[in-house]
Amino acid sequence: KDEIEPKGGVKSFYTVQEERMEQAERSVLISCPSKTNEKKFMKYLSRHGDINKCFFYESYGTYAVVEFAHKESLTSLHQGTAIPSVNHEAAVPFKSRLLSLKNTGSLDQSSGQSAPLCQPQTTVPMNDLILRLSNESSIDQQISSLTEMHQLTEENVCLRYLVCSLLKDIAAAYFPECKVRPFGSSVNGFGKLGCDLDMFLDLDGISGRSLKKLKAGFSLEYQTKRSASERAVTQSILSVIGECVDQFGPGCVGVQKILQARCPLVRFAHQPSGFQCDLTANNRVAMKSTELLYLCGGLDWRVRCLVFGVRCWARSHSITSSIPGAWITNFSLTVMVLFFLQRRTIPILPTLDYLKELAGPLDKCVIDGNDCTFVSDVSKIRLQDNTETLEQLLQEFFEFYGSFAFNRMSINIRKGREQNKSDVSPLHIQNPFDASLNVSKNVNATQLERFVGLCRESAWMLQQREFNAPPANGAAGGTKAPWGLAALLSPSVSQAAGVKS
Amino acid sequence: KDEIEPKGGVKSFYTVQEERMEQAERSVLISCPSKTNEKKFMKYLSRHGDINKCFFYESYGTYAVVEFAHKESLTSLHQGTAIPSVNHEAAVPFKSRLLSLKNTGSLDQSSGQSAPLCQPQTTVPMNDLILRLSNESSIDQQISSLTEMHQLTEENVCLRYLVCSLLKDIAAAYFPECKVRPFGSSVNGFGKLGCDLDMFLDLDGISGRSLKKLKAGFSLEYQTKRSASERAVTQSILSVIGECVDQFGPGCVGVQKILQARCPLVRFAHQPSGFQCDLTANNRVAMKSTELLYLCGGLDWRVRCLVFGVRCWARSHSITSSIPGAWITNFSLTVMVLFFLQRRTIPILPTLDYLKELAGPLDKCVIDGNDCTFVSDVSKIRLQDNTETLEQLLQEFFEFYGSFAFNRMSINIRKGREQNKSDVSPLHIQNPFDASLNVSKNVNATQLERFVGLCRESAWMLQQREFNAPPANGAAGGTKAPWGLAALLSPSVSQAAGVKS
Ligand SMILES: Nc1nc2c(ncn2[C@@H]2O[C@H](COP(=O)(O)OP(=O)(O)OP(=O)(O)O)[C@@H](O)[C@H]2O)c(=O)[nH]1
Ligand SMILES: Nc1nc2c(ncn2[C@@H]2O[C@H](COP(=O)(O)OP(=O)(O)OP(=O)(O)O)[C@@H](O)[C@H]2O)c(=O)[nH]1
Ligand SMILES: [Mg+2]
Ligand SMILES: [Mg+2]
């Protein structure tokens, strides 16, 4: 179970985030020829200082992430780096920490170089996954195995922080004190390899600043552009950063400025990492809900496993989708799992109100008039002794939502119990930090019905002997018919439930 | 005559420019309450270090330019400067060297403060000018006096370099080695107070860089965005800088990105200085022609005087205009004056070919295949002993162009003599650095005819006794009727010439 334990231990979310951001500041991303001798590469780079970490991966070519022990090494590295001189082409001479390694001289090609070991950055295809899960010996093991295969690797998390740090450099050109923080599934503990990278431009280091006013006499202020609203300022800033990313950002393609959205953002694909990126600003509540999910995922190892199991099941039947629409989002689905775990006879997760009660003075947090306070010190939280297995929990999850009174009741993780619905949306999941909002307002009746139908069908399947244990008579060494979680991921489930995907 | 002597003495154009750019880097621009006590202000600022220079001026409020002796003073100043906290408004927290002085406490208002002495940044209106010139005692003095009144002041030149420096900060956010150089009339010696500020983004410090290639082994390059052409790169860079100026630049209004022009540019008004600004990149030839004009203006004091006289005369009759069109530009008109001065029986100015012969090895300069070489060391230039007065020169100028064979001949300052025209444009002035181009291609036949007609009429007037000397019977202490240059600037000339303006 060691690999599924939350990485951060008892460290708070912000502590982990600050540490990783600092590591990313000392890192560079280097595109390498496919056959690069790792040892020589490390030797070449170590002339700039000690290297803490280095790994390779594939994404439109071979790349290496190199983390130096000291920030000064980057200064040395930059001094030894040239602007490329290209024939028949012109280059924007913007210097970033995205570099290319050139190997001149034929010396290395002759000596039969091998490619460096590359860390996988994507998940296995669904068919392979089903085969692999079928070879496990229990449903509990299937769910654990799925989690291990899907969860973000240490290297992938490093790469996500590095991409944030590269983007921070672009923003810091104008706002030196800014930070770019990852949020959402990249850091909440529920991210799957390949998930998008949500970033938050944090300008609080600047704007919060005000000097002690002297009683009388002169003082100096920066002359600044004024706007009618914070929103307009956010739009201005994202507009410029979007333009910079588009025109200067190496490997940044398909840049879209979506400035009129409720939460204005810049969207682009970062080819060197393979990440689809969303940059927002002024989005503190999302940071806070990321922290809440991170905390919940760290309280009991079964939380993350069940979320990974349910998310994968939902994705395989197109209950969720990578494009926006009237379907349930991963975020809503995660909140539904958390709620289910609060509703166990012996609860596995505490209520948000309980987490708020435990909060210390430093945890106090009010955003736009909404109280978002909850405890950050996990050691204060007392949990009850629930011993249910993952198999039981998965079964119960399907039964719980297969018979939930969606028509009347709202899902509320703050209270940890259902409440009478306040609006007419088919699915109502109260926003944990703003009681007036419904996280799943986008979901229509058809999509909710599909979800409920699939829950019922899946609950039924897990009760059938042919599905809830490995087939005894599987051909020795051959492929077993899908069973357990593997069967739940197979198309037959939605067919049996009579649900069109 | 001292004030009309070129400021730089024998220093080369680039030496002067680098010195002034360095001074601007140590300067700040501060918006002040209209009644600011100068002494207290200086005392308040000098806590950050010694101040080399400080002056006040008016432009949408009172401003001060403060030049510190050492760059470190700016760091200290920035530490003591706050982002404003504004009610009912939001501010883009971009920190520049454009600051606002706040005066808290009622202490100063009670003690009957007076406003600081403000340096004028504009010229007197035409009517006042005519009155003032009429009070001079000779045409020579009129022309000198006009030059003194119209030429850029020391303070105005400082302010121009400072605005370039502020813009450099915006560009340097992404291209730390870049420079922003003023060119055109702001620095060529022929600028009139209120003229536009032409700026050139110089990226040569970056892109020219390439490291010695090792024989074999690894090397590192920055990964950069590629474009099909240098032009496309220039457009990208100006697009981003234009966006930044628009969204972040305090006091920058009316920003237009004119990226499809032959020479892409960003145009905006800089309210704190009152300058209309044009930022171009990749525009080295314009830099070179600025240097040539600067050099010519410095060779003989009469050059600048005659140019100021002719430019003012042309502007007063709408021969030139502040908006682009089919009329003669100030640049063309200046080249025409230079040509005229080369064509004197004893030439006042040498030919460009002669200046090229004198060039040393360091003066060598080829831009886009055009040889732009000419001497930078003024002391090498030998001039002939022409003693004509300004009055004579002005008279001869009008006669020269009143009877020039524009239909057949082209104006060529490289050779210093007219040549057969190579195209059908009414007015042909060969581009000194590209023989295939006509600097005045835009001028149509009507505009040329107006110019010629006015030259003839003006030449005639200067020969009439009632115009070429002060009226003897002017009412004592009263206003004299316009005479000499003053008469030439009056509307009656164009009426007499039968020319509609
Ligand atoms: N309050 C609230 N927060 C949301 C909502 N949608 C997204 N968020 C927040 O924004 C984060 C990023 O959104 P997404 O990228 O859509 O979701 P994600 O959790 O990252 O999951 P995937 O990207 O699908 O892996 C989430 O983790 C939430 O913290 C919503 O409807 N309400
Ligand atoms: N070769 C060439 N250079 C030009 C031309 N027009 C302008 N320039 C250059 O660009 C500089 C700036 O142009 P302008 O702003 O139009 O002219 P200016 O000399 O600054 O004069 P004013 O702005 O009218 O005071 C000029 O000084 C020239 O060096 C042209 O048609 N041909
Ligand atoms: Mg996401
Ligand atoms: Mg100009």
Side-chain angles (χ1 to χ4, degrees):
Chain A
K1 296 280 134 59
D2 228 40
E3 306 232 357
I4 305 169
E5 284 299 309
K7 299 270 157 54
V10 288
K11 284 184 191 166
S12 84
F13 177 69
Y14 281 102
T15 312
V16 175
Q17 186 159 70
E18 293 288 338
E19 277 177 17
R20 286 199 173 265
M21 283 165 67
E22 196 273 324
Q23 286 160 8
E25 292 277 279
R26 292 185 264 111
S27 304
V28 290
L29 187 51
I30 306 180
S31 154
C32 299
S34 66
K35 293 195 173 178
T36 296
N37 182 308
E38 239 180 289
K39 266 196 191 150
K40 287 185 188 162
F41 174 74
M42 292 287 281
K43 197 177 157 217
Y44 174 72
L45 287 179
S46 59
R47 68 174 70 172
H48 301 294
D50 292 344
I51 293 171
N52 274 0
K53 197 185 317 181
C54 171
F55 64 88
F56 290 81
Y57 68 90
E58 297 271 351
S59 162
Y60 302 89
T62 304
Y63 282 86
V65 171
V66 180
E67 181 195 313
F68 285 95
H70 307 286
K71 195 136 200 235
E72 297 73 53
S73 299
L74 295 190
T75 315
S76 163
L77 188 76
H78 278 302
Q79 274 157 10
T81 303
I83 293 276
S85 49
V86 275
N87 294 330
H88 314 299
E89 263 192 336
V92 178
F94 172 63
K95 297 178 178 176
S96 75
R97 282 184 280 142
L98 176 52
L99 312 175
S100 295
L101 183 77
K102 301 288 157 183
N103 196 344
T104 44
S106 52
L107 175 129
D108 277 348
Q109 281 163 344
S110 57
S111 61
Q113 287 287 302
S114 64
L117 176 71
C118 282
Q119 300 292 332
Q121 307 296 323
T122 49
T123 54
V124 296
M126 188 58 84
N127 286 343
D128 293 357
L129 179 69
I130 291 175
L131 285 181
R132 288 213 211 173
L133 294 183
S134 299
N135 283 321
E136 297 290 345
S137 54
S138 71
I139 290 183
D140 274 37
Q141 276 182 12
Q142 286 183 326
I143 302 178
S144 298
S145 168
L146 172 78
T147 305
E148 273 176 49
M149 282 189 280
H150 271 192
Q151 72 186 348
L152 301 183
T153 60
E154 167 61 22
E155 288 78 17
N156 192 267
V157 173
C158 283
L159 186 56
R160 285 170 190 268
Y161 275 94
L162 178 49
V163 172
C164 288
S165 181
L166 296 176
L167 207 67
K168 188 227 60 179
D169 283 351
I170 289 184
Y174 291 109
F175 308 104
E177 301 95 337
C178 80
K179 300 192 167 185
V180 172
R181 304 179 180 277
F183 71 97
S185 59
S186 295
V187 290
N188 65 12
F190 301 112
K192 178 181 154 190
L193 281 173
C195 70
D196 70 352
L197 173 57
D198 303 292
M199 295 178 278
F200 164 63
L201 176 66
D202 183 351
L203 295 171
D204 272 18
I206 317 169
S207 38
R209 171 129 175 274
S210 69
L211 297 174
K212 272 176 262 167
K213 278 259 141 59
L214 298 170
K215 255 180 229 132
F218 290 138
S219 64
L220 282 174
E221 278 181 3
Y222 291 101
Q223 205 163 313
T224 56
K225 282 245 167 165
R226 300 292 168 83
S227 279
S229 64
E230 277 299 331
R231 178 178 164 83
V233 169
T234 301
Q235 287 169 330
S236 282
I237 292 174
L238 288 179
S239 171
V240 172
I241 293 178
E243 193 74 19
C244 293
V245 169
D246 196 17
Q247 307 281 2
F248 300 161
C252 298
V253 298
V255 180
Q256 290 171 271
K257 300 184 192 182
I258 308 170
L259 301 180
Q260 298 312 319
R262 190 185 55 82
C263 182
L265 72 138
V266 173
R267 174 165 289 172
F268 61 97
H270 187 254
Q271 287 187 333
S273 64
F275 296 144
Q276 184 64 33
C277 299
D278 278 354
L279 176 71
T280 56
N282 224 333
N283 192 10
R284 300 222 142 258
V285 181
M287 230 34 244
K288 218 55 200 169
S289 56
T290 299
E291 187 189 343
L292 177 63
L293 263 55
Y294 174 85
L295 187 144
C296 291
L299 287 179
D300 185 296
W301 67 273
R302 290 168 296 183
V303 179
R304 294 177 60 243
C305 287
L306 193 63
V307 170
F308 272 99
V310 169
R311 278 195 178 193
C312 184
W313 163 83
R315 185 72 189 82
S316 74
H317 300 297
S318 303
I319 291 290
T320 55
S321 164
S322 58
I323 49 173
W327 25 82
I328 300 176
T329 64
N330 272 335
F331 180 66
S332 295
L333 200 59
T334 306
V335 175
M336 289 171 86
V337 175
L338 301 184
F339 181 73
F340 161 74
L341 293 172
Q342 292 175 329
R343 298 300 289 139
R344 307 307 303 138
T345 315
I346 300 172
I348 291 179
L349 286 177
T351 68
L352 181 51
D353 271 344
Y354 170 76
L355 295 175
K356 184 179 163 186
E357 275 167 32
L358 296 181
L362 289 177
D363 296 330
K364 179 121 191 98
C365 172
V366 177
I367 301 169
D368 297 333
N370 289 311
D371 193 339
C372 305
T373 306
F374 60 91
V375 67
S376 60
D377 179 358
V378 191
S379 67
K380 289 194 199 163
I381 303 170
R382 293 283 154 260
L383 296 171
Q384 287 173 273
D385 205 18
N386 174 311
T387 56
E388 287 171 288
T389 64
L390 282 175
E391 177 174 354
Q392 283 174 296
L393 290 171
L394 188 64
Q395 169 84 35
E396 297 279 343
F397 175 86
F398 292 133
E399 278 169 16
F400 183 82
Y401 284 114
S403 59
F404 190 84
F406 287 110
N407 57 333
R408 291 186 297 109
M409 305 307 275
S410 158
I411 290 167
N412 184 332
I413 62 167
R414 179 164 286 282
K415 305 267 168 252
R417 58 172 187 270
E418 47 266 48
Q419 297 196 295
N420 288 323
K421 265 207 313 200
S422 57
D423 77 0
V424 296
S425 308
L427 176 59
H428 196 280
I429 303 174
Q430 200 183 83
N431 185 321
F433 299 116
D434 186 346
S436 70
L437 296 179
N438 173 10
V439 164
S440 53
K441 216 173 90 155
N442 63 308
V443 177
N444 66 17
T446 314
Q447 291 301 323
L448 180 62
E449 279 160 28
R450 287 190 57 224
F451 171 73
V452 173
L454 269 164
C455 280
R456 290 181 186 160
E457 177 63 21
S458 298
W460 178 85
M461 272 184 80
L462 283 181
Q463 282 161 356
Q464 309 311 306
R465 194 165 313 152
E466 75 247 54
F467 288 126
N468 71 4
N473 53 352
T479 55
K480 287 180 184 160
W483 67 277
L485 180 57
L488 292 181
L489 301 179
S490 303
S492 54
V493 184
S494 39
Q495 281 155 17
V499 182
K500 287 192 201 78
S501 72
Chain B
K1 298 281 135 50
D2 225 41
E3 305 231 358
I4 306 170
E5 283 299 308
K7 300 268 157 52
V10 288
K11 283 183 190 166
S12 84
F13 177 70
Y14 281 101
T15 311
V16 175
Q17 185 158 73
E18 294 288 338
E19 278 176 17
R20 286 197 173 268
M21 283 164 67
E22 195 273 325
Q23 286 159 8
E25 292 277 281
R26 292 186 265 112
S27 304
V28 290
L29 187 51
I30 307 181
S31 155
C32 300
S34 65
K35 293 194 172 179
T36 295
N37 183 307
E38 236 180 290
K39 267 198 192 146
K40 286 185 189 163
F41 175 73
M42 292 287 281
K43 196 177 158 218
Y44 174 72
L45 286 178
S46 59
R47 69 174 69 172
H48 301 294
D50 291 346
I51 293 171
N52 274 359
K53 197 184 315 181
C54 172
F55 64 88
F56 290 81
Y57 67 91
E58 297 270 352
S59 161
Y60 302 89
T62 304
Y63 282 86
V65 171
V66 180
E67 181 195 311
F68 285 95
H70 306 285
K71 197 138 199 233
E72 297 74 51
S73 298
L74 295 189
T75 315
S76 164
L77 188 75
H78 279 300
Q79 273 156 10
T81 304
I83 293 276
S85 49
V86 276
N87 294 330
H88 314 299
E89 264 194 335
V92 179
F94 172 64
K95 298 178 177 176
S96 75
R97 281 183 283 142
L98 176 52
L99 312 176
S100 296
L101 183 77
K102 301 288 158 183
N103 195 346
T104 44
S106 53
L107 173 130
D108 278 344
Q109 280 162 346
S110 57
S111 62
Q113 288 286 305
S114 62
L117 176 72
C118 282
Q119 300 292 332
Q121 307 295 325
T122 49
T123 54
V124 296
M126 188 58 85
N127 286 343
D128 293 357
L129 180 70
I130 291 174
L131 285 181
R132 287 213 212 173
L133 294 183
S134 298
N135 283 320
E136 297 290 347
S137 55
S138 71
I139 290 183
D140 273 38
Q141 277 183 10
Q142 287 184 325
I143 302 177
S144 297
S145 170
L146 173 78
T147 305
E148 273 175 49
M149 283 188 277
H150 272 192
Q151 71 187 350
L152 301 184
T153 59
E154 168 63 21
E155 289 78 17
N156 192 268
V157 173
C158 283
L159 186 55
R160 285 171 190 268
Y161 275 94
L162 178 49
V163 172
C164 288
S165 180
L166 295 177
L167 207 67
K168 188 227 60 178
D169 284 352
I170 289 185
Y174 290 110
F175 307 105
E177 300 95 338
C178 80
K179 300 192 167 186
V180 172
R181 303 179 181 277
F183 70 99
S185 59
S186 295
V187 290
N188 66 13
F190 302 111
K192 178 182 154 190
L193 281 174
C195 70
D196 71 351
L197 174 56
D198 303 292
M199 294 179 277
F200 164 63
L201 175 67
D202 184 352
L203 295 171
D204 273 18
I206 317 170
S207 38
R209 172 130 175 273
S210 68
L211 297 173
K212 272 176 259 163
K213 278 260 147 43
L214 298 170
K215 255 182 225 128
F218 291 138
S219 64
L220 281 174
E221 280 180 2
Y222 290 101
Q223 205 164 314
T224 57
K225 280 245 166 164
R226 301 293 169 82
S227 279
S229 64
E230 276 299 331
R231 179 178 163 82
V233 169
T234 300
Q235 288 169 329
S236 283
I237 292 173
L238 287 180
S239 171
V240 172
I241 293 177
E243 194 74 19
C244 294
V245 169
D246 197 16
Q247 308 281 2
F248 300 161
C252 298
V253 299
V255 181
Q256 290 171 270
K257 299 184 191 181
I258 308 171
L259 302 180
Q260 298 311 320
R262 190 185 56 80
C263 183
L265 73 138
V266 173
R267 176 165 288 171
F268 61 97
H270 187 254
Q271 287 187 333
S273 64
F275 297 143
Q276 183 62 35
C277 298
D278 277 353
L279 176 71
T280 56
N282 222 334
N283 191 10
R284 301 222 141 259
V285 181
M287 231 32 244
K288 217 55 199 170
S289 54
T290 300
E291 187 189 344
L292 177 64
L293 263 55
Y294 174 86
L295 187 145
C296 290
L299 287 178
D300 186 296
W301 66 274
R302 292 168 294 184
V303 179
R304 293 177 62 243
C305 287
L306 194 61
V307 170
F308 272 100
V310 169
R311 279 196 179 193
C312 185
W313 162 84
R315 186 72 191 83
S316 74
H317 301 295
S318 302
I319 291 291
T320 54
S321 163
S322 58
I323 48 173
W327 26 82
I328 299 176
T329 63
N330 272 335
F331 181 66
S332 295
L333 200 59
T334 307
V335 175
M336 289 171 85
V337 175
L338 301 184
F339 181 73
F340 161 74
L341 294 172
Q342 290 175 329
R343 298 300 289 142
R344 306 308 302 140
T345 317
I346 300 173
I348 291 180
L349 285 177
T351 67
L352 181 50
D353 270 346
Y354 170 76
L355 296 176
K356 183 178 162 186
E357 274 167 33
L358 296 181
L362 289 178
D363 296 330
K364 181 123 190 98
C365 172
V366 177
I367 300 168
D368 297 332
N370 290 310
D371 193 339
C372 305
T373 306
F374 61 90
V375 66
S376 60
D377 177 359
V378 191
S379 68
K380 287 194 199 163
I381 303 170
R382 294 283 153 259
L383 297 170
Q384 288 174 273
D385 204 17
N386 175 311
T387 56
E388 287 170 289
T389 64
L390 283 175
E391 176 174 352
Q392 284 174 297
L393 291 172
L394 188 63
Q395 169 84 37
E396 298 278 344
F397 175 87
F398 292 132
E399 279 171 14
F400 183 82
Y401 284 115
S403 60
F404 190 84
F406 287 110
N407 58 332
R408 291 187 295 108
M409 305 308 273
S410 157
I411 289 167
N412 182 331
I413 61 166
R414 177 164 288 283
K415 303 266 167 253
R417 58 172 188 272
E418 46 265 48
Q419 295 195 297
N420 289 326
K421 270 213 298 204
S422 56
D423 77 2
V424 295
S425 307
L427 176 59
H428 195 279
I429 303 174
Q430 200 182 84
N431 184 320
F433 299 117
D434 187 345
S436 70
L437 297 179
N438 174 11
V439 164
S440 53
K441 218 174 87 152
N442 62 309
V443 177
N444 65 17
T446 315
Q447 291 301 324
L448 180 63
E449 278 159 28
R450 288 189 58 225
F451 171 74
V452 172
L454 269 165
C455 281
R456 288 179 187 163
E457 177 64 22
S458 298
W460 178 86
M461 272 183 83
L462 283 182
Q463 281 160 358
Q464 309 311 305
R465 193 164 313 153
E466 75 248 52
F467 289 126
N468 70 5
N473 54 350
T479 55
K480 288 178 182 162
W483 66 276
L485 180 57
L488 292 181
L489 301 180
S490 303
S492 54
V493 183
S494 37
Q495 282 153 17
V499 182
K500 289 188 202 82
S501 70

